[in-house]
Amino acid sequence: QGNLSAATKDFSAAIDADPNISDAWKRRGQTRSAMGFDADAIKDLSKAATLSPDHECFHQRGIVYHKMHDFRKAVSDFRKALDLQPNNHITWNYVGLCENSLGKTREAIIAYERAVKIQPTFKEAWA
């Protein structure tokens, strides 16, 4: 926790110096999530996505929503991430996890198959 706390302070200082640095918001969001401050992480990752809507912003925010068991928001973010980087097997796997948690078995299977098609040795999609 000590290193995460120090990292959060460093990212906050970077944001204070220039609030338009998307990466600082993104990294602080990841750090806050690792510390269990998921609501704050969502705010930071949302700000990062506003500044620079890239795959990683949506993927990371999707992970936080998944962790919070908000699977609808998570799958929405993962699909936004896939719009930007359609061949990311890890993101496809998360789509499968979310769809399965929402009771959408067919959609989950399609997502897992897509992950394995992209990366055949990706064992998480086979589990």
Side-chain angles (χ1 to χ4, degrees):
Q1 286 286 355
N3 288 341
L4 292 174
S5 181
T8 300
K9 288 178 184 175
D10 289 344
F11 293 130
S12 294
I15 290 166
D16 289 343
D18 185 350
N20 293 313
I21 300 174
S22 173
D23 201 55
W25 288 98
K26 189 186 318 177
R27 302 300 170 219
R28 188 174 77 174
Q30 290 173 300
T31 305
R32 285 179 161 176
S33 177
M35 294 173 66
F37 301 121
D38 294 330
D40 291 330
I42 292 294
K43 289 176 189 173
D44 285 350
L45 292 165
S46 295
K47 179 65 175 181
T50 300
L51 293 169
S52 178
D54 63 15
H55 170 271
E56 190 178 10
C57 288
F58 294 116
H59 181 90
Q60 291 298 322
R61 191 170 66 183
I63 289 173
V64 179
Y65 280 131
H66 181 268
K67 186 173 121 179
M68 297 169 69
H69 296 174
D70 192 337
F71 302 115
R72 281 183 176 73
K73 287 183 180 176
V75 79
S76 175
D77 271 351
F78 290 130
R79 291 200 180 274
K80 287 176 189 172
L82 288 168
D83 286 342
L84 298 166
Q85 196 177 104
N87 290 320
N88 189 297
H89 64 285
I90 295 170
T91 305
W92 276 110
N93 190 63
Y94 269 110
V95 169
L97 292 169
C98 292
E99 295 289 20
N100 188 54
S101 294
L102 292 168
K104 298 180 179 181
T105 306
R106 180 171 161 63
E107 290 87 345
I109 291 169
I110 291 167
Y112 292 136
E113 287 175 344
R114 189 74 183 266
V116 170
K117 183 177 179 183
I118 295 165
Q119 182 66 35
T121 60
F122 186 59
K123 66 180 189 272
E124 288 83 351
W126 289 99

